[in-house]
Amino acid sequence: MAYSSGMAGVLIGLALLAFWLFSLFDVMTTPEDEVRNVPKALWILVVILIPLLGGVVWIARGRPRAPRQAWPVPPGPGAPKGPDDDPDFLRDLDRRMRGDDVN
């Protein structure tokens, strides 16, 4: 059990290295015209020179935003919204409740 504190440090170090590499490759592979706020070359320098903070700032302020999808449009007034709004469903349900179901 003497290695547990050393192992935690190694795992944290590997996680920070993975985050730094992710940030660096993300900056490098992002097209120039999609980079926000400052030029791409400056983002590369920021991520390289300030490893943890540079990656966090890149993700928060420089990375391109994904296009947002519009909310789903609800059905129009003619379309049923649920099974209890559908007249065919209600008619069939009423027929089955009365025992008029012919199968």
Side-chain angles (χ1 to χ4, degrees):
M1 293 297 157
Y3 295 109
S4 63
S5 64
M7 184 61 76
V10 169
L11 290 176
I12 291 171
L14 287 174
L16 291 175
L17 177 65
F19 176 72
W20 179 72
L21 287 173
F22 167 78
S23 301
L24 183 61
F25 288 130
D26 194 36
V27 173
M28 293 170 67
T29 58
T30 300
E32 179 76 35
D33 58 329
E34 294 181 16
V35 174
R36 298 185 301 146
N37 296 325
V38 296
K40 183 176 177 176
L42 186 58
W43 277 120
I44 292 173
L45 285 175
V46 167
V47 170
I48 289 174
L49 296 177
I50 313 168
L52 179 60
L53 184 61
V56 170
V57 173
W58 158 251
I59 289 176
R61 306 297 282 157
R63 195 168 198 234
R65 292 185 178 164
R68 294 185 177 193
Q69 299 292 327
W71 287 96
V73 179
K81 293 181 176 78
D84 57 338
D85 292 334
D86 186 3
D88 294 331
F89 174 78
L90 292 173
R91 204 172 8 256
D92 184 51
L93 182 63
D94 187 44
R95 188 178 18 223
R96 283 188 281 157
M97 293 289 287
R98 282 197 240 149
D100 296 343
D101 194 17
V102 182
N103 281 338

